[in-house]
Amino acid sequence: MSENDHQATVTLKKGEGRTIKAGGMWIYDNEIDRMEGDFDNGDIVAVHDFDDYFLGYGYINTRSKITVRLLSRKKDTVIDEAFFERRVRDAWNYRKETIDISSCRLIFGEADFLPGITIDKFEDVLVVESLALGIDRWKLVIVDALKKILAEDGITIRGVYERSDAKVREQEGMERYKGFIGEPFDTKVQITENGVKYIVDVEDGQKTGFFLDQKNNRAAIHRLCKGKRVLDCFTHTGSFALNAGIAGAKSVLGVDASQLAVDQATENAKLNRLEEIVTFQCADVFELLPQLEQQGEKYDVVILDPPAFTKSRSSVKNAIKGYREINLRGLKLVRDGGYLVTCSCSHFMEPELFAKTIREAANGAHKRLRQVEFRTQGCDHPILWAADQSYYLKFYIFQVCEER
């Protein structure tokens, strides 16, 4: 496919396109000077700088603020089924080299040079989330390529489920959708991670059913939890709590505001024969922590893994308040010499801002923090340096000391 085969060309305004020139993949509506030629939304177009210099091929959607998402910067690229198969093969080879692949994220959108699509593998099931119109057209091609490539390594995929039910699809002019791709199957899937067994509900669980990005971070708490009393806040389906339990904690309390999550977490505790040690409570963490403090409770390890308090730049101020409050409350419950495990999964809570917020919480609680380690998301969620939105998870472990 030569450049001439792309019917339409998008030309940028002079001085625009800073993101893609720095290696990113998004072109916003306000960066575009003109569009020439015939196209339908979702089609592949060529992108030129103001002086006609070729910048790449991408798919267009004039209904989205991100009007073009770049797929390739090479002029001689042919965007066809073989192109997507190469991308998928690269993504799989990378994961085989870097992480335990029994369950992992196989495709991480822009960071795998496939903007707008995420695919998670839970044992022999794939869960697909498609958030851009252009990639939606190639979705089945990508899924078929994945099945073929995994089969080459002896991995047979039993079923594929689509979880394209996020609100951002509406910004692309697409309906939210969830359902089977191909034959129906049992959507409760058992996986094992760090020696812990879970039932993952790919149909009704949050996002794609389970948060794989904390895999290595969950393993990192094992050494701290042996023989300890642990509190896990925003436990979701119990992952940190169960890691603490399997590592030999004396007692673990997991808290979540969702009764569904607490029920699933309780099932997971039974699955691991930890129900005597790891218990769960349905409560609002912001309300429960002050109550525990009033009762004089102290824990050896307090874990805070809240949902993203902000999904946009405009609500960052409120998010800072939320993170500061929850870290302040959490710190007050850690005994002298115990540990605080705290994270933020919001891209807009930038690392410096998150660190500053924790520092303010520590000052407010009159505690001294000694950093044990700082981590980010698992390497199956690679951080592409040019694509800022691919770096979102910040994870700290601190030892908490009283005034010495």
Side-chain angles (χ1 to χ4, degrees), residues 329-360:
R329 296 289 175 198
L331 280 163
K332 289 183 170 179
L333 291 170
V334 183
R335 67 160 179 78
D336 184 20
Y339 296 91
L340 175 75
V341 177
T342 183
C343 14
S344 164
C345 61
S346 166
H347 156 62
F348 295 102
M349 221 23 215
E350 285 163 349
E352 297 74 23
L353 189 56
F354 186 49
K356 178 171 177 274
T357 306
I358 296 169
R359 185 177 293 124
E360 287 166 1

Side-chain angles (χ1 to χ4, degrees), residues 3-43:
E3 193 186 339
N4 305 333
D5 294 340
H6 295 282
Q7 294 299 305
T9 302
V10 169
T11 305
L12 302 186
K13 295 175 186 167
K14 189 168 184 174
E16 294 293 351
R18 277 185 295 277
T19 310
I20 70 158
K21 287 168 192 170
M25 296 186 184
W26 291 356
I27 295 165
Y28 292 93
D29 52 1
N30 60 359
E31 297 185 288
I32 294 170
D33 180 35
R34 62 187 189 276
M35 305 178 190
E36 295 159 306
D38 298 328
F39 66 87
D40 293 324
N41 279 333
D43 283 356

Side-chain angles (χ1 to χ4, degrees), residues 271-330:
L271 191 64
N272 291 280
R273 301 203 172 108
L274 288 170
E275 64 270 30
E276 302 292 314
I277 293 159
V278 185
T279 54
F280 296 97
Q281 182 179 343
C282 183
D284 179 324
V285 173
F286 284 94
E287 288 170 12
L288 180 68
L289 295 193
Q291 290 168 14
L292 292 172
E293 189 193 333
Q294 277 169 346
Q295 293 160 15
E297 295 285 356
K298 289 283 184 192
Y299 295 88
D300 299 300
V301 181
V302 172
I303 300 161
L304 305 173
D305 181 21
F309 290 149
T310 174
K311 291 203 161 67
S312 69
R313 248 181 238 300
S314 53
S315 61
V316 164
K317 272 201 171 63
N318 277 340
I320 293 171
K321 275 191 200 138
Y323 284 113
R324 191 188 300 131
E325 167 77 5
I326 205 71
N327 279 282
L328 175 76
R329 296 289 175 198

Side-chain angles (χ1 to χ4, degrees), residues 122 186-193 196-202 205 209-210 236-238 242 260-261 263-272:
F122 298 109
D186 181 1
T187 51
K188 300 258 198 311
V189 185
Q190 185 171 321
I191 69 167
T192 303
E193 178 196 273
V196 182
K197 300 188 190 82
Y198 303 92
I199 299 290
V200 175
D201 182 347
V202 300
F210 185 79
H236 187 224
T237 50
L242 294 165
L260 174 69
D263 293 344
Q264 288 180 326
T266 305
E267 281 303 301
N268 286 333
K270 286 183 184 143
L271 191 64
N272 291 280

Side-chain angles (χ1 to χ4, degrees), residues 85-351:
E85 186 176 317
R86 281 196 304 277
R87 284 279 196 269
V88 168
R89 195 175 290 282
D90 286 347
W92 174 238
N93 287 338
Y94 163 76
R95 273 132 188 111
K96 283 197 292 187
E97 288 168 358
T98 55
I99 202 154
D100 157 35
I101 50 171
S102 59
S103 293
C104 67
R105 177 151 293 181
L106 292 178
I107 308 283
F108 185 41
E110 282 71 4
D112 282 304
F113 310 103
L114 287 168
I117 194 164
T118 294
I119 303 182
D120 284 341
K121 171 183 179 289
F122 298 109
E123 292 292 343
D124 56 356
V125 164
L126 301 182
V127 182
V128 179
E129 184 182 39
S130 161
L131 300 177
L133 181 63
I135 202 85
D136 214 58
R137 295 186 171 183
W138 293 97
K139 177 174 66 192
L140 297 180
V141 168
I142 292 168
V143 167
D144 286 344
L146 254 179
K147 284 173 150 175
K148 172 185 156 186
I149 289 162
L150 291 171
E152 290 168 10
D153 281 325
I155 299 165
T156 306
I157 293 302
R158 163 168 71 92
V160 184
Y161 197 81
E162 182 167 1
R163 283 296 300 270
S164 302
D165 49 354
K167 208 168 167 34
V168 285
R169 267 183 66 111
E170 292 167 3
Q171 294 167 7
E172 289 270 319
M174 299 156 77
E175 287 178 3
R176 294 158 83 167
Y177 174 80
K178 61 190 261 195
F180 295 101
I181 294 180
E183 291 300 304
F185 58 93
D186 181 1
T187 51
K188 300 258 198 311
V189 185
Q190 185 171 321
I191 69 167
T192 303
E193 178 196 273
N194 302 336
V196 182
K197 300 188 190 82
Y198 303 92
I199 299 290
V200 175
D201 182 347
V202 300
E203 184 175 5
D204 294 318
Q206 284 182 30
K207 296 276 184 108
T208 60
F210 185 79
F211 298 108
L212 292 161
D213 50 9
Q214 294 266 33
K215 179 187 304 195
N216 299 339
N217 302 344
R218 291 190 270 259
I221 70 163
H222 282 217
R223 299 180 68 156
L224 305 177
C225 294
K226 195 169 170 54
K228 302 291 178 59
R229 186 167 192 240
V230 180
L231 175 66
D232 176 23
C233 305
F234 310 100
T235 189
H236 187 224
T237 50
S239 56
F240 275 106
L242 294 165
N243 273 271
I246 217 140
K250 187 168 59 185
S251 74
V252 185
L253 173 61
V255 185
D256 201 278
S258 151
Q259 187 61 53
L260 174 69
V262 165
D263 293 344
Q264 288 180 326
T266 305
E267 281 303 301
N268 286 333
K270 286 183 184 143
L271 191 64
N272 291 280
R273 301 203 172 108
L274 288 170
E275 64 270 30
E276 302 292 314
I277 293 159
V278 185
T279 54
F280 296 97
Q281 182 179 343
C282 183
D284 179 324
V285 173
F286 284 94
E287 288 170 12
L288 180 68
L289 295 193
Q291 290 168 14
L292 292 172
E293 189 193 333
Q294 277 169 346
Q295 293 160 15
E297 295 285 356
K298 289 283 184 192
Y299 295 88
D300 299 300
V301 181
V302 172
I303 300 161
L304 305 173
D305 181 21
F309 290 149
T310 174
K311 291 203 161 67
S312 69
R313 248 181 238 300
S314 53
S315 61
V316 164
K317 272 201 171 63
N318 277 340
I320 293 171
K321 275 191 200 138
Y323 284 113
R324 191 188 300 131
E325 167 77 5
I326 205 71
N327 279 282
L328 175 76
R329 296 289 175 198
L331 280 163
K332 289 183 170 179
L333 291 170
V334 183
R335 67 160 179 78
D336 184 20
Y339 296 91
L340 175 75
V341 177
T342 183
C343 14
S344 164
C345 61
S346 166
H347 156 62
F348 295 102
M349 221 23 215
E350 285 163 349

